[in-house]
Amino acid sequence: MIHTINCSIINSTRLVVMKFKKVIPVLLILTLGLIVLAGCKRDVKNIPEAGREPVIEPDYSGVTIPRNIAPMNFIIKESGRAFSVLASSNDGFGLKIRSHNGIVRFPEKSWKKLISKSKDGKIAIRIISEDENGNMTAFNPVNLFIAAEPIDPYICYRLLYPGYETYLQIKLVQRSTESFKEISLAENQLLKNNCINCHSFNQNNPRKFMLHVRGSAGGTYFIDGEKITRRDLKAPEMNFGAVYPGWHPSGKYVTFSSNNIVQSFHASPDENIDVIDLASSLVNYDIEKNEMYPIEDADTVKYLETFPEWSPDGNYLYYCRAKEITDSLDFKNIKYNLLRKPFDQTTNKFGSAELVFDAVKINKSVSFPRISPDGKSLVFTLHNYGNFSIWHKEADLYLLDLGTKKAEKMSINSDETESYHSWSSNGKWIVFSSKRGDGLTARPYFAYFGSSENVGKPFVLPQKDPALYGRLVKTFNRPEFLTGRIKLGPRDFEKASGMKAVRAKWIGNKN
Amino acid sequence: MNKSAVKKIKSEDTMPNDGIRRGIPDFYFLLALLFFFSGLFFYFFGNYVFFYQENQMLFVFSGEYFEQFAVKPGGLLEYAGNFLSQYYFSKLYGAIILATIYSLLAFTFFRINKKISGSSSFSIIFSVIPSCLLVLMQTNFNYMLHNNLGILLAASWFLFSLSSDKKWRLIVSLALFPLLLYVAGAFSWIYLGMFILYNLMNRKLFAAVFMGIIAFLSFLVFRNLIFLQPWSELLYYPLPLKDYFKNPAFFYSMSGFIILYPLLFRWISLIEIPKEYLKTISVYGSLLIFSVTLFFLSRIYSPATADLFKLEKLLCEQDWNGIIKYQETKQSPNMIAQYYYNIALSEKGVLCSRMFFGRQDYGTKSVMIPWDSRASMNKMFRGVYFFYTIGLINEAHRWAFESMVVQGYHPENIKLLIKTDLINGHYAIAKKYIYVLKKTLHYRGWAKKYEAMLNKPELIKSDPELGEKIKLLPKHDFPIKIKNQQTNITFLLESNPGNRKAFEYKLAWFMLEKNIRGVINDIGKFKEMGYSEIPRHVEEAALFFSSEIGQLPDLGGLIINPETKSRFDQFGNWSRSNMVNNQIKPADIPVIFRNTYWYYLNIK
């Protein structure tokens, strides 16, 4: 059945959903749609072609998206007093939108239907612009490719100003990838305005994670189901607090780097700020026993060790290591390699460190190693020096084949910073922070990962208001995939902050 | 109070009264007097409040800006205050806004008086007291406009609650308390106090208790179900922050007075005045209140504060000549005023030629304001101008950004964010700030000017201000020293040896710390930096040095101005004949020598 569409419908911004019979070929649908878009009376053949795709923001042209993604709303960045948009699947389903300001918003239900009807894995978005004189221009269709594998239904990130020393509003947010639902998880005004730091999940599990809070509500909050435990992980024997976490897949341990961190500001317009470790080492924390012990190295050289990451089988601890510097002004010479240590899960003993990727050799530095759920691939950030890649414009993502130990720059990078990243639970999607929009604020981008040779063009987390990224000065920090929704909220963390933080016991030599 | 008295009051509440009718013309005269008196005061003397407050916030016509305030009780009151405060750019509008609020408040209390005790002889006099208290309160520049609106709203809502004895009005008052709590936040506690007290006075125990219960439940529901705000915010916001009030006692006393107002007025109404004295009491009583207010105003008003804000206003307008003239005339002893003076001199390129024409009482402390994460941002923000002036644009951007994070947007931080991002070529982010500024009432035009520069580096370079700053930028990177700002000047100069502002600041620093050797070491560089003559104060330092060492230092091909030499000889002759025990009394030094470096060396 073909819905009858008259011109009066076209003249408003209302959306018309057309349902066609499944047997009608795509070409016919596109043609029909185009006729409707053009104003019924106009022959589509008479509309001049621009001969190119329209510029849309965010750039969704040629991206690979999952079937369960939220509507990919966008803004048309072409001149014109009105735009007609037809998004269609190959299976006889089309969404038509008329926009006078270039903003295109798809209703969620219709969007889902559109994707479900796209059996050949493609959505074509056809845009026609109309200028003040009624002259129309048809653009080449923008194609979105649909992957079969779904994306995890939620991501979690910190939303805050990309500030330097001061902060005021920080919140931890869980956001549905399937809709625009954004749920606050923790807000610092309920935690005595203290800073909320790193959050980390055990294998994308929304029921098992942790986050740090500084200051008077300080401590590390461990979440197990709906229970929150507040711990003070800085045992008296430790010189510095526990900072960057890495969950052991068993959920029994979290390995931390214990860091002495300082900030430095740059005078050059090309650089901004650096966060430097003057000292750092690895410690392992037993959650059940509330015990902390050092991960020692037989090497007598003084190293900086940070960013622990466990292999999915729990047999290897990956981390970044650099030689310690003696002068803090010499921070541009701090370069981290990627290493790993074997771990015996029966004895809880670590073996000797082995080099996985020699970044120093190429005068670069590694940060944020993250291993795919199948244990075959590792994505890390490579930049010129140090470990705080989010402030390094040159930082890019590299894919390391853990079998061959060969690393290659990923196709998903831009000229701006690419930094923190994580894998979806099925290993088919990567979410990463990128500052490609404005050079200052990070946004969560998703990329399809079919294999090392088949990585999709990334797309930014869709927003209900597609203009949001263009005006928001806040940054999306440490995006992590979640396999479901976290059932806790800001008041739960506020309540937990009233509990006493139980201090961890130290086992072993002084740190 | 006995039952018959209560009955009498009740009957007076509901019937027209001769006494009050007679008082009405007097009241309106008084109201007009209040309007003009407060308006004139703020127009002529207290107008620094307008400049300061308009610069502390930026009202943006956008849903997101509204949302920031809508998410917490009391936010809408602040939103309304900010809306009106954007008109503070004009002292005329500002004076009219404040005078109107004070007059409305007096009118509201006059109506409240009528309801409490219609026949009172003190109705007129008493009704202006809260307004006079607010006028006094407003001399504190941190007392933001929404606080006045909060008091006005609480009083108006109280007037509505007691304006009739009908049940529906009581029910509406009770039912709408949560709305009042949402709109007015902590100011609703003032209303609550007035309401409960009034009803207890009138033995309406049920209404008082029920209102108390509703307030308590509203608070709990707001806290636990609706708003993600801590207890303290729900209790205090948007009352004036403690941070800004060294002595909040006056505000709390004023609030206490307003809460107790129904009771106090009832008591004073019990005093009966013979009819023939009614007018006299009204006139002289009101004059007395105005006189007392004027007396306190004269005590509270600080010309030094007004001067500082005048200078700050000139700084925001980049009226460098205005700042130099004002400070050299007023010779403000304030450290910030002297810091602004040095900024203005640097912007005009005459720092080392003129800095001792103004007071330099704080040595190097008036060169820059050091970063202190414990200090309040609205005070510390002033430090940003030094970095912007000398061309350390990254650091200026950082300070402006830190200010934006803590204080939200205000006209100065957002303007600096835009300018520094344009200078640094960060157009995408500059565009975001320009987008915000374009949604304001008074800065749209400014934003459009800079919007035209986006992605057009040639246009930026040709802009007199931004182009000049680009020339001052460091040519290579170095780490900013937060605790040792002098090093930043040295590093900047090493990175960009042609940066004359950094060079003069470096020498100014040496002069202020009386490090003449430091000045002499660099004196030979003037010619190679394009100077045709050595700045006057540097010449003075060189001559002083020569008097100690016996010869002039290498001037790098330039010469000492004969006028300076002659003045130095005169100073030498004078000091030789007037020095007692190697000391010179500051007051004895002739005026002609007071704007010299020698004066600073001898006296400071």
Side-chain angles (χ1 to χ4, degrees):
Chain A
M1 184 187 151
I2 299 174
H3 282 237
T4 308
I5 299 161
N6 61 36
C7 296
S8 63
I9 296 172
I10 296 166
N11 287 336
S12 72
T13 54
R14 282 182 294 163
L15 178 142
V16 180
V17 179
M18 300 174 296
K19 187 177 182 182
F20 298 90
K21 282 187 177 175
K22 289 180 181 175
V23 290
I24 300 174
V26 179
L27 196 60
L28 180 59
I29 296 162
L30 280 173
T31 311
L32 281 172
L34 213 55
I35 292 167
V36 172
L37 287 172
C40 295
K41 291 172 188 171
R42 196 178 284 261
D43 183 354
V44 70
K45 286 177 186 169
N46 292 335
I47 299 176
E49 292 279 343
R52 61 174 175 85
E53 288 185 22
V55 177
I56 61 170
E57 194 181 284
D59 175 16
Y60 289 149
S61 171
V63 299
T64 305
I65 59 172
R67 289 198 168 271
N68 57 335
I69 194 70
M72 308 278 284
N73 298 340
F74 59 86
I75 312 168
I76 302 164
K77 293 284 186 181
E78 297 286 351
S79 56
R81 65 161 193 180
F83 301 92
S84 298
V85 178
L86 177 69
S88 56
S89 68
N90 67 325
D91 209 19
F93 190 79
L95 286 177
K96 193 179 83 62
I97 290 174
R98 175 94 167 161
S99 170
H100 287 275
N101 55 7
I103 293 176
V104 178
R105 287 180 176 152
F106 299 102
E108 283 188 32
K109 276 187 182 173
S110 307
W111 173 259
K112 298 282 178 204
K113 201 167 183 179
L114 177 71
I115 291 191
S116 70
K117 297 285 182 187
S118 305
K119 292 203 172 146
D120 69 341
K122 194 173 94 175
I123 291 173
I125 299 174
R126 182 83 168 166
I127 295 170
I128 294 173
S129 69
E130 187 180 328
D131 69 13
E132 295 298 324
N133 302 318
N135 300 320
M136 294 187 173
T137 307
F139 292 91
N140 294 351
V142 172
N143 293 317
L144 281 67
F145 302 99
I146 304 166
E149 298 91 341
I151 201 164
D152 284 336
Y154 279 89
I155 58 167
C156 181
Y157 49 82
R158 270 198 320 169
L159 193 63
L160 73 168
Y161 282 114
Y164 303 83
E165 277 198 52
T166 55
Y167 60 87
L168 196 65
Q169 301 160 330
I170 300 178
K171 63 179 179 176
L172 194 59
V173 171
Q174 51 178 331
R175 161 68 206 270
S176 169
T177 54
E178 300 176 330
S179 69
F180 299 116
K181 191 188 287 178
E182 188 184 85
I183 306 157
S184 180
L185 184 59
E187 299 199 8
N188 74 326
Q189 79 268 18
L190 293 182
L191 296 169
K192 298 174 186 166
N193 290 319
N194 289 296
C195 181
I196 302 171
N197 290 104
C198 299
H199 50 280
S200 176
F201 296 83
N202 182 17
Q203 296 179 307
N204 313 102
N205 187 346
R207 295 175 63 79
K208 208 161 179 72
F209 65 101
M210 54 135 289
L211 64 97
H212 294 307
V213 177
R214 279 195 232 161
S216 54
T220 304
Y221 293 67
F222 285 92
I223 293 85
D224 192 353
E226 284 163 31
K227 187 184 166 200
I228 307 176
T229 316
R230 184 182 170 201
R231 298 272 169 84
D232 175 3
L233 300 187
K234 190 179 177 305
E237 291 82 359
M238 291 169 69
N239 290 325
F240 315 108
V243 184
Y244 303 115
W247 281 85
H248 189 270
S250 67
K252 288 182 189 169
Y253 315 104
V254 182
T255 303
F256 290 96
S257 57
S258 170
N259 311 50
N260 177 19
I261 301 171
V262 293
Q263 286 191 98
S264 175
F265 305 108
H266 292 276
S268 162
D270 300 326
E271 297 181 81
N272 218 329
I273 179 173
D274 252 302
V275 181
I276 306 146
D277 285 356
L278 294 180
S280 63
S281 59
L282 297 175
V283 288
N284 206 31
Y285 176 66
D286 185 319
I287 301 171
E288 276 177 28
K289 294 179 183 169
N290 191 27
E291 287 175 352
M292 185 79 87
Y293 61 91
I295 300 173
E296 288 164 323
D297 205 303
D299 202 330
T300 52
V301 178
K302 279 195 171 180
Y303 289 116
L304 302 167
E305 296 171 320
T306 193
F307 297 138
E309 165 78 357
W310 284 95
S311 61
D313 59 11
N315 290 333
Y316 285 97
L317 175 68
Y318 288 76
Y319 62 100
C320 300
R321 188 177 84 175
K323 279 186 185 168
E324 205 171 281
I325 52 162
T326 47
D327 181 359
S328 64
L329 286 178
D330 199 24
F331 61 86
K332 290 195 177 181
N333 285 323
I334 304 175
K335 317 251 177 186
Y336 287 84
N337 280 328
L338 178 65
L339 290 95
R340 72 175 184 180
K341 279 183 179 183
F343 179 65
D344 186 333
Q345 296 187 58
T346 53
T347 61
N348 287 356
K349 300 281 182 196
F350 288 89
S352 301
E354 53 186 90
L355 185 67
V356 179
F357 180 74
D358 192 347
V360 176
K361 198 174 170 184
I362 54 170
N363 204 22
K364 293 280 179 182
S365 189
V366 170
S367 58
F368 300 127
R370 303 304 300 269
I371 304 174
S372 62
D374 62 8
K376 291 178 181 170
S377 307
L378 182 150
V379 175
F380 60 79
T381 311
L382 196 72
H383 42 103
N384 287 347
Y385 63 88
N387 64 37
F388 218 74
S389 49
I390 195 69
W391 288 106
H392 284 247
K393 188 180 160 85
E394 80 285 356
D396 282 322
L397 298 181
Y398 279 69
L399 181 71
L400 177 75
D401 185 320
L402 287 173
T404 63
K405 302 278 166 55
K406 279 190 176 173
E408 279 189 15
K409 187 175 174 179
M410 297 185 79
S411 58
I412 56 182
N413 291 298
S414 71
D415 293 340
E416 294 291 345
T417 309
E418 274 73 38
S419 182
Y420 193 83
H421 47 275
S422 64
W423 293 84
S424 67
S425 58
N426 61 7
K428 289 296 168 187
W429 298 93
I430 297 168
V431 61
F432 62 97
S433 292
S434 176
K435 292 187 173 179
R436 64 189 65 184
D438 59 26
L440 177 71
T441 56
R443 307 290 183 229
Y445 278 76
F446 301 110
Y448 174 70
F449 185 80
S451 66
S452 56
E453 289 84 32
N454 178 19
V455 179
K457 181 180 171 182
F459 62 94
V460 71
L461 172 70
Q463 296 290 349
K464 190 170 191 174
D465 176 5
L468 179 75
Y469 293 127
R471 55 176 194 271
L472 187 71
V473 185
K474 285 186 176 173
T475 202
F476 294 66
N477 183 245
R478 285 179 71 98
E480 290 272 4
F481 278 116
L482 299 176
T483 54
R485 185 185 151 184
I486 300 165
K487 304 286 187 202
L488 299 167
R491 289 192 181 91
D492 298 306
F493 285 97
E494 183 193 24
K495 203 174 163 187
S497 71
M499 298 187 301
K500 191 176 182 300
V502 184
R503 181 170 274 197
K505 282 172 283 183
W506 182 257
I507 311 284
N509 298 327
K510 191 177 183 303
N511 195 221
Chain B
M1 197 183 294
N2 60 36
K3 277 187 179 178
S4 62
V6 173
K7 276 182 187 171
K8 189 181 170 196
I9 289 161
K10 276 187 178 175
S11 66
E12 284 165 350
D13 278 354
T14 52
M15 59 191 285
N17 181 281
D18 283 352
I20 198 77
R21 273 209 303 260
R22 272 200 306 275
I24 284 174
D26 295 339
F27 174 71
Y28 285 118
F29 172 72
L30 193 64
L31 208 58
L33 207 61
L34 175 68
F35 183 90
F36 284 106
F37 152 76
S38 56
L40 289 175
F41 172 76
F42 284 105
Y43 183 82
F44 287 108
F45 301 102
N47 54 48
Y48 61 88
V49 170
F50 305 139
F51 163 73
Y52 175 80
Q53 295 195 0
E54 199 263 335
N55 262 280
Q56 289 302 303
M57 58 95 220
L58 186 71
F59 187 88
V60 184
F61 289 88
S62 77
E64 276 150 10
Y65 183 73
F66 175 77
E67 206 176 295
Q68 286 173 34
F69 296 94
V71 293
K72 56 182 176 179
L76 293 185
L77 190 72
E78 192 178 355
Y79 182 80
N82 288 359
F83 175 78
L84 289 175
S85 299
Q86 65 183 326
Y87 293 94
Y88 277 6
F89 76 97
S90 150
K91 61 181 182 179
L92 176 65
Y93 290 165
I96 290 172
I97 288 168
L98 281 184
T100 306
I101 291 173
Y102 300 141
S103 305
L104 281 173
L105 190 70
F107 179 75
T108 307
F109 275 102
F110 182 66
R111 301 279 301 170
I112 288 171
N113 293 350
K114 190 182 165 188
K115 294 293 169 189
I116 293 174
S117 180
S119 63
S120 173
S121 319
F122 295 96
S123 182
I124 293 175
I125 308 167
F126 225 62
S127 62
V128 293
I129 294 177
S131 299
C132 289
L133 290 174
L134 284 192
V135 170
L136 292 175
M137 194 73 225
Q138 190 59 78
T139 53
N140 185 326
F141 49 83
N142 277 309
Y143 186 77
M144 307 304 275
L145 180 54
H146 70 259
N147 295 302
N148 292 324
L149 295 178
I151 301 279
L152 181 61
L153 184 60
S156 308
W157 197 246
F158 178 65
L159 174 63
F160 169 81
S161 298
L162 58 80
S163 53
S164 92
D165 279 342
K166 287 178 182 164
K167 251 187 188 169
W168 70 266
R169 200 172 285 263
L170 176 64
I171 293 167
V172 169
S173 299
L174 293 169
L176 292 187
F177 181 80
L179 178 67
L180 180 71
L181 179 59
Y182 173 59
V183 173
F187 283 96
S188 59
W189 307 136
I190 292 175
Y191 162 80
L192 183 71
M194 293 170 88
F195 182 92
I196 290 176
L197 197 64
Y198 176 78
N199 282 285
L200 288 176
M201 275 160 47
N202 290 321
R203 300 188 179 180
K204 293 177 182 171
L205 198 60
F206 172 79
V209 171
F210 210 72
M211 181 59 95
I213 291 170
I214 284 182
F216 181 68
L217 289 177
S218 305
F219 185 73
L220 285 184
V221 170
F222 278 25
R223 173 66 183 84
N224 294 318
L225 296 175
I226 303 177
F227 299 104
L228 287 173
Q229 297 296 327
W231 295 104
S232 56
E233 279 291 288
L234 286 177
L235 274 174
Y236 297 116
Y237 178 79
L239 295 176
L241 286 171
K242 270 193 235 166
D243 304 0
Y244 294 140
F245 280 88
K246 284 180 186 162
N247 183 12
F250 184 69
F251 176 76
Y252 291 117
S253 306
M254 184 185 76
S255 303
F257 171 78
I258 292 170
I259 291 169
L260 294 172
Y261 188 93
L263 185 67
L264 296 173
F265 185 66
R266 174 68 59 83
W267 280 344
I268 206 147
S269 302
L270 296 175
I271 302 170
E272 292 200 359
I273 306 281
K275 280 185 182 176
E276 59 267 30
Y277 295 119
L278 268 179
K279 197 164 181 80
T280 315
I281 289 283
S282 288
V283 172
Y284 288 102
S286 307
L287 283 177
L288 178 68
I289 286 169
F290 282 143
S291 304
V292 169
T293 307
L294 266 177
F295 170 74
F296 280 112
L297 274 180
S298 67
R299 300 297 299 267
I300 297 169
Y301 178 74
S302 160
T305 305
D307 281 348
L308 177 63
F309 286 121
K310 169 78 180 167
L311 269 178
E312 202 154 275
K313 190 167 188 288
L314 293 169
L315 185 95
C316 293
E317 291 162 357
Q318 300 190 324
D319 182 355
W320 312 123
N321 288 330
I323 294 172
I324 294 166
K325 191 176 169 192
Y326 197 82
Q327 177 61 2
E328 288 180 1
T329 310
K330 296 273 182 179
Q331 295 289 345
S332 168
N334 185 291
M335 188 178 83
I336 303 297
Q338 294 177 22
Y339 162 77
Y340 287 159
Y341 175 65
N342 291 334
I343 294 276
L345 293 174
S346 178
E347 287 289 353
K348 294 298 289 181
V350 292
L351 181 63
C352 289
S353 317
R354 212 173 167 89
M355 60 189 285
F356 296 108
F357 281 61
R359 293 178 68 151
Q360 299 288 350
D361 299 332
Y362 301 92
T364 56
K365 287 180 185 168
S366 58
V367 170
M368 60 193 69
I369 298 168
W371 177 264
D372 182 355
S373 49
R374 294 160 303 174
S376 77
M377 183 53 83
N378 65 336
K379 284 184 185 167
M380 208 171 55
F381 175 74
R382 292 161 169 157
V384 73
Y385 298 109
F386 164 73
F387 297 107
Y388 186 71
T389 295
I390 64 168
L392 260 181
I393 298 301
N394 260 21
E395 192 62 359
H397 179 273
R398 181 173 82 82
W399 284 51
F401 196 91
E402 305 268 25
S403 159
M404 185 270 286
V405 169
V406 175
Q407 299 176 283
Y409 290 119
H410 59 64
E412 278 298 289
N413 67 23
I414 196 167
K415 282 182 186 176
L416 274 160
L417 285 170
I418 290 169
K419 289 194 279 193
T420 52
D421 272 324
L422 286 173
I423 291 166
N424 280 344
H426 301 156
Y427 305 128
I429 198 77
K431 192 178 171 185
K432 293 186 179 184
Y433 302 128
I434 287 172
Y435 171 86
V436 174
L437 214 51
K438 275 175 73 184
K439 287 185 171 292
T440 62
L441 196 61
H442 305 299
Y443 300 98
R444 244 174 249 170
W446 192 97
K448 280 181 181 169
K449 176 191 164 190
Y450 288 94
E451 187 180 32
M453 296 184 190
L454 286 170
N455 300 305
K456 290 175 186 153
E458 289 312 313
L459 210 55
I460 296 168
K461 277 182 191 165
S462 64
D463 180 76
E465 182 187 343
L466 304 190
E468 181 63 26
K469 297 299 173 199
I470 287 171
K471 288 179 195 160
L472 301 176
L473 283 172
K475 306 287 184 206
H476 60 73
D477 189 33
F478 58 85
I480 300 290
K481 292 286 180 186
I482 294 171
K483 290 182 180 164
N484 186 357
Q485 298 290 359
Q486 190 186 9
T487 312
N488 292 330
I489 301 174
T490 310
F491 282 175
L492 177 59
L493 209 49
E494 283 169 10
S495 169
N496 183 354
N499 185 330
R500 285 168 63 152
K501 292 194 193 310
F503 182 57
E504 290 210 23
Y505 257 114
K506 183 184 175 188
L507 295 184
W509 186 289
F510 286 145
M511 285 193 276
L512 287 170
E513 62 180 7
K514 301 184 181 178
N515 176 1
I516 297 181
R517 177 68 65 180
V519 180
I520 298 309
N521 286 344
D522 278 335
I523 204 166
K525 292 179 184 167
F526 278 99
K527 192 172 183 185
E528 66 188 66
M529 292 192 74
Y531 286 80
S532 57
E533 54 188 40
I534 298 170
R536 173 177 163 152
H537 295 315
V538 179
E539 286 182 330
E540 290 167 353
L543 287 169
F544 186 85
F545 177 82
S546 73
S547 71
E548 300 277 308
I549 304 298
Q551 64 175 44
L552 273 172
D554 177 12
L555 301 177
L558 295 176
I559 55 162
I560 300 285
N561 189 322
E563 277 183 32
T564 313
K565 177 79 177 69
S566 159
R567 206 166 43 250
F568 184 67
D569 292 341
Q570 287 175 45
F571 181 75
N573 293 335
W574 178 86
S575 55
R576 272 190 293 279
S577 56
N578 288 276
M579 199 172 279
V580 180
N581 299 329
N582 269 343
Q583 295 282 319
I584 303 173
K585 285 183 188 171
D588 293 344
I589 296 182
V591 176
I592 54 158
F593 299 130
R594 290 190 184 181
N595 54 13
T596 64
Y597 184 44
W598 312 311
Y599 178 77
Y600 178 83
L601 280 172
N602 279 286
I603 303 306
K604 300 292 178 187

